[in-house]
Amino acid sequence: KNQVEQSPQSLIILEGKNCTLQCNYTVSPFSNLRWYKQDTGRGPVSLTIMTFSENTKSNGRYTATLDADTKQSSLHITASQLSDSASYICVVSAGWTDKLIFGTGTRLQVFP
Amino acid sequence: NAGVTQTPKFQVLKTGQSMTLQCAQDMNHEYMSWYRQDPGMGLRLIHYSVGAGITDQGEVPNGYNVSRSTTEDFPLRLLSAAPSQTSVYFCASSYSDGMNTEAFFGQGTRLTVV
């Protein structure tokens, strides 16, 4: 069964600190892996999209890594800001039709 | 550029009532889809469309209907609302159903069925 699991479920950090969110997946055939940010009461917004051949991709203070062999991905947030408080969702695209399999997300809270 | 627009943002229905959630996109995207988001679960696909006149079922289609008469609009109809349909609904669109295409999401519709 295609699954995407994320850890931790929730995380609290102080402003300015770094953090890393984890994503493990069992999706076949793998097409690409995406990280989305979802603010409370809003729709998800794409941060990165990585294909099988990409190991790392950055978007400002967000850096995603992908290990296709171990089927793991991480999202590293550098120098966190209060505006980083949100849910971060790992999404894996399956097959040729780009069907999206969503993780349950990690809820990040950044405090001053 | 409005992107993906969903209406209404909030709705309360009584069991058995019907309603239509509206979704419109102005990016000329071929692929549109509807998801529901429930606490503790990832977004689940309800229905999707790969172009005007073409729709198909997703993971949780029961109790919902869709149609795609134009490229821009993809309404989701609840035929007879049930409390189990209480959820947040998201509409998304992308250029195609091919690989590596970014999906754009609407702001969501929070539906409560009492």
Side-chain angles (χ1 to χ4, degrees):
Chain A
K1 180 181 179 182
N2 289 331
Q3 280 188 320
V4 176
E5 296 180 345
Q6 293 186 243
S7 62
Q9 282 190 331
S10 61
L11 182 63
I12 297 175
I13 62 174
L14 293 177
E15 187 179 14
K17 298 296 186 183
N18 303 334
C19 67
T20 300
L21 314 180
Q22 301 292 341
C23 174
N24 296 334
Y25 63 92
T26 53
V27 175
S28 181
F30 175 87
S31 176
N32 58 65
L33 185 143
R34 314 160 184 226
W35 282 94
Y36 283 86
K37 178 186 179 187
Q38 184 177 21
D39 292 312
T40 300
R42 315 275 285 186
V45 175
S46 178
L47 294 174
T48 64
I49 300 176
M50 289 187 294
T51 62
F52 181 88
S53 60
E54 294 176 295
N55 302 115
T56 184
K57 202 160 202 178
S58 291
N59 178 358
R61 295 180 296 102
Y62 301 101
T63 298
T65 64
L66 174 63
D67 186 333
D69 292 330
T70 61
K71 298 186 178 180
Q72 295 179 327
S73 176
S74 65
L75 180 69
H76 185 75
I77 304 175
T78 303
S80 61
Q81 300 176 357
L82 298 179
S83 59
D84 292 331
S85 293
S87 288
Y88 292 84
I89 305 173
C90 177
V91 184
V92 179
S93 176
W96 304 112
T97 60
D98 210 28
K99 179 182 178 182
L100 301 183
I101 312 297
F102 288 78
T104 55
T106 293
R107 178 163 178 77
L108 174 66
Q109 292 177 277
V110 180
F111 286 103
Chain B
N1 193 344
V4 180
T5 303
Q6 289 184 237
T7 56
K9 285 188 169 58
F10 303 93
Q11 183 70 49
V12 178
L13 287 179
K14 292 183 178 179
T15 298
Q17 285 185 317
S18 62
M19 79 159 295
T20 299
L21 308 186
Q22 301 291 343
C23 176
Q25 53 92 6
D26 60 1
M27 296 173 282
N28 202 31
H29 287 170
E30 298 170 350
Y31 191 80
M32 296 185 73
S33 51
W34 276 101
Y35 296 87
R36 59 179 289 173
Q37 186 174 37
D38 300 296
M41 303 183 73
L43 273 74
R44 292 181 293 168
L45 181 64
I46 304 172
H47 285 285
Y48 66 97
S49 168
V50 299
I54 306 170
T55 63
D56 206 347
Q57 296 181 348
E59 181 184 356
V60 288
N62 292 341
Y64 308 95
N65 272 0
V66 292
S67 61
R68 185 93 179 270
S69 56
T70 67
T71 299
E72 295 77 20
D73 300 300
F74 190 44
L76 177 72
R77 281 184 289 276
L78 280 69
L79 308 174
S80 177
S84 61
Q85 294 179 304
T86 294
S87 187
V88 181
Y89 291 85
F90 289 99
C91 178
S93 74
S94 58
Y95 288 109
S96 73
D97 64 349
M99 296 172 63
N100 310 325
T101 54
E102 182 176 347
F104 295 84
F105 287 83
Q107 297 297 295
T109 294
R110 183 174 292 276
L111 175 67
T112 302
V113 182
V114 298

